[in-house]
C-alpha cells in the first residue's frame, strides 16, 4: 500500500459515529485563534505592514521570522545566523528540497524503519535504495555508501519512540565517518510528556560550533506548535546549502505566504511563554488515556510501546497479519486506524497499525479500542 | 545571466532615490486590504470555520474555492468540473508541476522567445532543448518532437504582447497534430487595456468540450487580481493529470494554506464586480504614461512595442549591446530595469530591457526615462 492508496482509504473516514485514530492532525482546540485574530487585524490595519503582507516577498522568507528562528535554534544548542534559515511551506517542503539536493535516481537513503510516510513519498521520484537504522543507532552496512540519511530522532512518526542519547551520538559519529549528510526532521520535539527530549542530532553534530560547520540539515515545523493551516516550516543548514535550496524555493513557488509569515512572527513573540506546557498537558492526558485503553482491551499477542512524546502509538500484530485487509472490518465495527505498511521503506510492516491520539476526544478512546480489540482478536 | 544572478542584481535596488522599473510586482494600493481584514475577522470569529482554516486540508485544495474557479473557467469558455481544479501556491508552482509531469532530462520544450523567467527556472533541472514559437504562431520544426509547450499567449511577460487570434488557433492546431501538451500560463489576462484579450488557447482547444477532452493545461493566478502575498493559484487540466499532480502537491508541501484559501474564496465572492475595471484603469494609465515617456525621450535606435495589457514593455537596443553591462551605469544615474537576456530560453536577447510600469508612481516615469535615455544613448 503506497501513500496515495492510504489517502484514498482515509476518504472513507467520513461515516457518522466512526471513532478514528487515523488522522495525525493536531487538536484544533489548541490553535491560538484569538491571538491570531488580533494579529491579523493589527497587520491589516497598518497600511505599511499590510502592503508588505500582501505583496511578493523574497524567497529566503520574511526576515524577522528567520531572525526569531535563528535565535531559537541557537538557544537550543544549534548556533545559527539568519542566513542559515530558509522559510518553507511546512517540514514536508523542507524534506522534499533535501531530497532534490542530495538524491539521484537509485541513490541510497538511510532511514528508520518504519519512517515518516510523507518523506518516503517525497523520495519516491528517485526510487531510492533504502538502508535501515536500528533503534540503537546502528545502521546496515549499505549506509556507508548512502547519499543521505533521513531521521526523526525525537518522538518519531509513526511509533512515538525516540533514539536515546547514545543512539543519537552513534548515528552522528557514523555519519561523520561516512561523510553522510543527515536530514533531521523534528516536528514533535516540543510535545514531550515524560521529560525534555534531549539534544538534536544537529546539536550533537555541531557540539557548539556554528551551523556552517556541520553536516546536519534541520527541518522544523510550526504545524504542531502553532497551526498547520498556516503552512510554515523552516530549513536550517550551512549557508551554501541554504543558497541552493533558496533557488529551489524560487523555482518551486517563489516564497511562503507573506501574511502567514508575518502573523507567525507576531504569534511566536506574543503567545504566553507557558503555552506549550498547556499543550503538552493536553496531549499527555490523551497519551495516558489511550495507553490505559490499550492495556485494558488488547490481547497480549499485540505489542506496542508507550510513546514519550508526539501523537502516535504503533501496534504490532502477529506476523503474517495484514492491517490493511483488516481495515474494512474495523470501519464496519465503527473504528479506524492507519495501516502501518506504507510507513515501511523497504516493504513489510503490513502487520502494524498506527494509532493517533492527537485530535480525538479522549472520552472516546476506551470505546474506540473496545471496538477495535475484538476485530483484531478475530484475526490474531 | 541566469535568474539567480538577476536576483542578486535586484538586491542592489535598495538605494535611495532610485527609480526602478525592475520589479514586476503589482501595485500594493490595489490590494483589497479592508475587505480582507473583515473576512479574516469573520473566519477567525466563527469557531467552526477557524478550526478548518488552521487545520490540515486536502491536497486538492479547499472545495468551495475549487468550485468558484471551475465556475469561472466554465464561464470563460473552458468547461470544468471541480475535479479538474488543483489549488497551488501561485502559478509558479503550477508551471513547476507541469514540468515534472511532462519533462525528462533533455526533453524538448516549445516556448516563446523571450519567455517568462520563472518558468525557465522551473524547467532548468531538466536541461531542456528549447524550440521557439514566433508571434505569428509558427514554430521551429523541432517543436514536433517536443514533450511540452509552455506559452503565455495573453499579455506576455516580458514583452506585454499577445498572440493574435489567428496565431493562437495555429498553435492549437499544430499542437493537436503533434500530440503536444500545451501549458498555458495566464496571469495577466484580466489586465487588458484596449479591449478584452480574446479566448485562451484552452478555450480554443476545447471548443465547447469538457476540460477532460482537451490537451491544454491552464495555469491561473490570484497574484495580480487579489494579492501575491496570499500565494494562491490553480491548475486546470484533465482529471487524470490533476490526480497525478495532486500527488506532486502532497509530496511537495501537502496543500496550500487553508486560511489563505478560505479568505480568497470569500474575497472572490465579496468584492464588487466592477473592481477589476478600476484595476485596469489604474494600470492603463501607467502604460500610457510610460509609453509617453518612452516616445518623448528614447532615441529612434531603440525599438519597443506598446503593450495591450499586463505589466511590461520590452525595449530592444541595437544588436551587440549588453543591457546587463549597462545596468550599473543606469543605477549610477538613478534608474533601474530588468536586463532581458535571462528571459531568452536559448540565449541571446542581451540587448533587451524589461521595463515594468505596474508598481511605480507614474509621476516618476518621465524623470526615470529621462535618466535612462542618456545612459542608453551613450551606448547606442
Amino acid at each position: 500500500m503506497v501513500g496515495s492508496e492510504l489517502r484514498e482509504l482515509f476518504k472513507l473516514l467520513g461515516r457518522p459515529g466512526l471513532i478514528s485514530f487515523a488522522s495525525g492532525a493536531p487538536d484544533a482546540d489548541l490553535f491560538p485563534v484569538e491571538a491570531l485574530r488580533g494579529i491579523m487585524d493589527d497587520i491589516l490595519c497598518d497600511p505599511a505592514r499590510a502592503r508588505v503582507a500582501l505583496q511578493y516577498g523574497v524567497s529566503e522568507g520574511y526576515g524577522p521570522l528567520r531572525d526569531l528562528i535563528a535565535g531559537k535554534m541557537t538557544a537550543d544548542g544549534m548556533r545559527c545566523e539568519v542566513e542559515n534559515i530558509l522559510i518553507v511551506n511546512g517540514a514536508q517542503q523542507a524534506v522534499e528540497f533535501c531530497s532534490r539536493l542530495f538524491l539521484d535516481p537509485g541513490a541510497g537513503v538511510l532511514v528508520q524503519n518504519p519512517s515518516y510516510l510523507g518523506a518516503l513519498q517525497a523520495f519516491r521520484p528517485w526510487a531510492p535504495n533504502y538502508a535501515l537504522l536500528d533503534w540503537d543507532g546502528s545502521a546496515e552496512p549499505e549506509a556507508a555508501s548512502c547519499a543521505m540519511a533521513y531521521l526523526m530522532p525525537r518522538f518519531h512518526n509513526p511509533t512515538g519512540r525516540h533514539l536515546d542519547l547514545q543512539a543519537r551520538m552513534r548515528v552522528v559519529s557514523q555519519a561523520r565517518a561516512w561523510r553522510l549528510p543527515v536530514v533531521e526532521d523534528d516536528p514533535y520535539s516540543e510535545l514531550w510528556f515524560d521529560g525534555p527530549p534531549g539534544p538534536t542530532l544537529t546539536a550533537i553534530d555541531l557540539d557548539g560550533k556554528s551551523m556552517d560547520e556541520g553536516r546536519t540539515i534541520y527541518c522544523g515545523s510550526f504545524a504542531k506548535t502553532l497551526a498547520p493551516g498556516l503552512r510554515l516550516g523552516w530549513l536550517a543548514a550551512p549557508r551554501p546549502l541554504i543558497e541552493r535550496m533558496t533557488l529551489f524555493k524560487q523555482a518551486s513557488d517563489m516564497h511562503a505566504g507573506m501574511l502567514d509569515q508575518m502573523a507567525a512572527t507576531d504569534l511566536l513573540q506574543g503567545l504566553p511563554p507557558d503555552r506549550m506546557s498547556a499543550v503538552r498537558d493536553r496531549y499527555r492526558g490523551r497519551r495516558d488515556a489511550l495507553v490505559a485503553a490499550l492495556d485494558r482491551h488488547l490481547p497480549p499477542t499485540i505489542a506496542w510501546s508507550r510513546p514519550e512524546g508526539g501523537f502516535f502509538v504503533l501496534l504490532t500484530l502477529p506476523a503474517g497479519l495484514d492491517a490493511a485487509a483488516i481495515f474494512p472490518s474495523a470501519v464496519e465495527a465503527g473504528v479506524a486506524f492507519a495501516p502501518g505498511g506504507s510507513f515501511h521503506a523497504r516493504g513489510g510492516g503490513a502487520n502494524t497499525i498506527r494509532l493517533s491520539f492527537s485530535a480525538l476526544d479522549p472520552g472516546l478512546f476506551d470505546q474506540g479500542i473496545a471496538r477495535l480489540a475484538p476485530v483484531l482478536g478475530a484475526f490474531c
Side-chain angles (χ1 to χ4, degrees), chain A residues 313-334:
Chain A
V313 178
L314 195 79
L315 310 184
T316 303
L317 313 182
L321 290 188
D322 180 356
I326 297 173
F327 186 85
S329 308
V331 171
E332 204 55 45

Side-chain angles (χ1 to χ4, degrees), chain A residues 204-258:
Chain A
I204 293 169
D205 177 47
L206 293 178
D207 194 21
K209 296 193 301 294
S210 121
M211 198 78 200
D212 287 322
E213 297 174 69
R215 61 172 47 262
T216 307
I217 293 95
Y218 180 92
C219 305
S221 169
F222 295 116
K224 279 77 189 181
T225 50
L226 295 178
L230 295 177
R231 298 306 312 125
L232 290 174
W234 73 93
L235 271 158
R239 262 164 248 235
L241 302 188
I242 290 292
E243 284 162 17
R244 287 187 58 193
M245 292 197 279
T246 300
L247 297 181
F248 295 165
K249 183 68 184 161
Q250 190 184 10
S252 293
D253 55 10
M254 303 186 84
H255 60 85
M258 285 298 290

Side-chain angles (χ1 to χ4, degrees), chain A residues 52-130:
Chain A
V52 176
L54 298 182
Q55 189 53 282
Y56 285 112
V58 295
S59 298
E60 291 87 344
Y62 181 57
L65 181 58
R66 296 169 73 209
D67 262 336
L68 270 184
I69 293 169
K72 182 181 154 30
M73 296 278 299
T74 300
D76 289 346
M78 300 170 275
R79 193 144 63 79
C80 280
E81 305 290 333
V82 66
E83 293 83 5
N84 295 117
I85 308 294
L86 171 66
I87 307 294
V88 291
N89 309 339
Q92 181 71 30
Q93 191 172 48
V95 171
E96 208 258 342
F97 284 178
C98 291
S99 73
R100 288 200 218 179
L101 189 65
F102 293 118
L103 301 189
D104 289 308
V109 180
L110 176 64
V111 293
Q112 290 156 291
N113 195 42
S115 192
Y116 171 52
L117 175 58
L120 301 181
Q121 287 177 319
F123 303 154
R124 204 195 304 164
W126 286 271
N129 288 299
Y130 288 106

Side-chain angles (χ1 to χ4, degrees), chain A residues 137-276:
Chain A
S138 67
E140 292 180 332
E142 293 74 15
S145 57
C146 277
M148 173 177 107
Y150 166 79
L151 302 172
M152 197 184 276
R154 313 201 295 180
F155 315 129
H156 172 260
N157 179 357
T159 66
R161 293 179 66 176
H162 62 204
L163 292 172
D164 68 20
L165 183 60
Q166 203 174 356
R168 291 181 212 180
M169 291 173 72
R170 187 169 177 182
V171 173
V172 168
S173 136
Q174 288 176 324
R176 200 174 291 152
W178 295 328
R179 310 178 67 82
L180 182 64
V182 176
V183 176
E184 176 170 36
D185 190 10
D186 195 33
Y188 301 103
S189 55
E190 300 215 39
L191 306 177
W192 48 265
F193 307 143
D194 304 320
T200 61
L201 299 178
T202 306
I204 293 169
D205 177 47
L206 293 178
D207 194 21
K209 296 193 301 294
S210 121
M211 198 78 200
D212 287 322
E213 297 174 69
R215 61 172 47 262
T216 307
I217 293 95
Y218 180 92
C219 305
S221 169
F222 295 116
K224 279 77 189 181
T225 50
L226 295 178
L230 295 177
R231 298 306 312 125
L232 290 174
W234 73 93
L235 271 158
R239 262 164 248 235
L241 302 188
I242 290 292
E243 284 162 17
R244 287 187 58 193
M245 292 197 279
T246 300
L247 297 181
F248 295 165
K249 183 68 184 161
Q250 190 184 10
S252 293
D253 55 10
M254 303 186 84
H255 60 85
M258 285 298 290
L259 181 60
D260 287 359
Q261 290 188 78
M262 290 173 75
T265 305
D266 287 4
L267 274 176
L268 291 169
Q269 292 176 304
L271 288 173
D274 59 348
R275 176 172 172 272
M276 283 314 297

